Amino acid sequence: MPHMTAFARNQWYVAAYSHEVGRELLGRTLLGEPLVLYRTEGDGTPVVLHDRCVHRRYPLSEAPTRLDGDRIVCGYHGFTYDTTGTCVYVPGQKRVPRTARVASYPVIEQDSLVWVWIGDPALADTGTVPRARHLDSPGWVTVRGMEPIDADYGLLVDNLLDLSHETYLHGGYIGTPEVAETPITTEVDEGAGIVRVSRHMDDAECPPFYARSTGISGRISRWQDIEYHAPCLYLLHSRVAPTGVVPEADGSDPNGFHTEITYAITPSGDGKVYDFWAVSRDWATDDAEVTEFLRKNNHTVVMQDVDALNLLQRTLGTERTGYQELSINIDTGGLAARRILARLVEEGDRTAERAAR
């Protein structure tokens, strides 16, 4: 078996986009925990419960399970749960067994993302959820999607923190020779669990992804500034501009095109990860053709990653024990992320041990 990155449980993870959660029951699995998501009838608050009826383990996200007001009625024997996961009705008797309850999970909705806390509910601090304001800010247009990958979530973290692979895996879309050739700078804030990787290209080929969407012809300066908030949120602040065009002293950048690329990296289970992806822009916001081009192109790029990581996971599964992995300068950010993830797991384990005493 390939090495699996352990899960940090006392953390916030993206379970869904806001638009995915409604009055239809939605099933997702986070960190191996099956969840059912829906919205309340009155104010539309998202509810997240364990997706298994206490009686015979029927999945509550599956038909004919249904909502009756804000209560879930299990489609197998009619056990009924309120929004806290407490069972309020069982068939054939008045008394509801005291143990008839399913777990309810802390949830926060912000920036058009639905975040869920799988660990100890007492430790869930909504103030620690990282922001991605561009996803629903006025003046920004976003295309988005989600792809499940049959690979360890650590492989997706590696992939996104080392963009030199764009040159080879994504040539013809977002990759050009300069991405792999340009050295990176890496900053790590161990305490905050943030890794920053920057690659500033002053004179680069303009890849089709940007040439066709911005209309820039000729060479460009291209900046890629990554901000990874372990374990789940990845932000890539991207800037392209015609060569020689630099932002004004006050930071304004009238001739630059800024694009925010967001990923939520949510482990579904061992060797499975949800790859939530979004591309946001504050330019050509009324151009439906640009929107569709970016959606289609970025989906293609994401699927190239999906195929590569699925293959890599299968390959690692056939490796002999004790094989040696080689890392170089481009891996600095990814290795820092692995260290931080290991620390978050360790801290979570220590917290769980203390609670169990």
Side-chain angles (χ1 to χ4, degrees):
M1 276 291 291
H3 168 74
M4 293 289 177
T5 309
F7 303 142
R9 296 183 71 80
N10 287 319
Q11 299 290 328
W12 290 100
Y13 292 93
V14 172
Y17 289 118
S18 290
H19 74 262
E20 294 182 287
V21 183
R23 295 291 292 165
E24 296 283 320
L25 298 168
L26 173 68
R28 284 273 149 88
T29 303
L30 266 64
L31 282 58
E33 299 283 334
L35 310 178
V36 57
L37 297 88
Y38 66 96
R39 288 187 188 277
T40 57
E41 213 166 23
D43 60 6
T45 305
V47 177
V48 183
L49 302 178
H50 192 69
D51 187 23
R52 296 290 183 268
C53 180
V54 292
H55 176 233
R56 289 293 180 264
R57 315 303 294 161
Y58 192 83
L60 298 174
S61 60
E62 296 289 342
T65 301
R66 61 183 174 81
L67 285 173
D68 176 13
D70 290 341
R71 295 172 169 184
I72 287 191
V73 182
C74 177
Y76 194 17
H77 294 99
F79 276 62
T80 303
Y81 303 90
D82 67 15
T83 57
T84 69
T86 304
C87 184
V88 294
Y89 168 82
V90 298
Q93 61 186 61
K94 290 253 187 309
R95 191 183 69 80
V96 176
R98 196 172 44 81
T99 55
R101 59 165 51 248
V102 295
S104 162
Y105 299 87
V107 56
I108 177 172
E109 184 172 19
Q110 71 180 24
D111 306 328
S112 77
L113 301 171
V114 177
W115 295 82
V116 175
W117 181 275
I118 296 294
D120 179 351
L123 300 175
D125 176 359
T126 55
T128 61
V129 179
R131 302 303 304 252
R133 289 180 174 85
H134 50 271
L135 289 177
D136 65 356
S137 284
W140 288 83
V141 174
T142 299
V143 292
R144 64 185 85 205
M146 189 277 280
E147 294 298 332
I149 309 179
D150 290 324
D152 175 49
Y153 83 100
L155 295 181
L156 181 55
V157 175
D158 280 351
N159 170 282
L160 293 171
L161 279 168
D162 171 22
L163 295 181
S164 67
H165 78 274
E166 288 183 354
T167 300
Y168 304 95
L169 193 61
H170 307 308
Y173 292 91
I174 55 176
T176 67
E178 293 81 12
V179 182
E181 289 163 8
T182 305
I184 55 166
T185 60
T186 307
E187 284 175 39
V188 183
D189 185 335
E190 295 275 356
I194 299 173
V195 181
R196 293 183 173 87
V197 181
S198 292
R199 180 182 270 108
H200 287 187
M201 297 158 269
D202 293 330
D203 180 14
E205 190 185 316
C206 190
F209 185 82
Y210 286 117
R212 287 186 53 193
S213 56
T214 65
I216 293 176
S217 56
R219 295 181 72 79
I220 57 168
S221 73
R222 182 181 184 187
W223 298 354
Q224 295 175 325
D225 294 296
I226 295 167
E227 205 181 304
Y228 170 59
H229 297 255
C232 189
L233 188 69
Y234 169 99
L235 307 170
L236 168 58
H237 314 296
S238 167
R239 174 194 184 265
V240 300
T243 305
V245 172
V246 293
E248 305 291 335
D250 63 1
S252 62
D253 195 9
N255 298 304
F257 293 83
H258 293 260
T259 310
E260 294 288 343
I261 293 143
T262 309
Y263 283 87
I265 303 162
T266 301
S268 170
D270 283 335
K272 289 183 181 299
V273 59
Y274 294 124
D275 179 358
F276 292 90
W277 59 269
V279 177
S280 310
R281 71 186 194 279
D282 62 357
W283 43 272
T285 52
D286 296 332
D287 194 324
E289 230 174 294
V290 169
T291 300
E292 182 53 25
F293 173 78
L294 292 178
R295 188 201 63 75
K296 194 174 166 198
N297 254 258
N298 206 69
H299 179 253
T300 301
V301 166
V302 168
M303 291 312 297
Q304 288 172 334
D305 281 334
V306 170
D307 292 343
L309 295 178
N310 283 343
L311 173 59
L312 188 53
Q313 183 74 21
R314 290 197 303 273
T315 305
L316 291 172
T318 64
E319 283 286 359
R320 68 187 189 284
T321 309
Y323 72 91
Q324 282 299 303
E325 187 181 62
L326 173 69
S327 295
I328 55 171
N329 289 346
I330 58 173
D331 302 307
T332 311
L335 294 174
R338 289 185 193 182
R339 274 199 317 276
I340 289 169
L341 289 171
R343 175 175 60 76
L344 295 178
V345 170
E346 203 178 297
E347 286 172 2
D349 289 348
R350 281 204 300 272
T351 303
E353 277 167 28
R354 282 199 298 272
R357 283 188 198 132

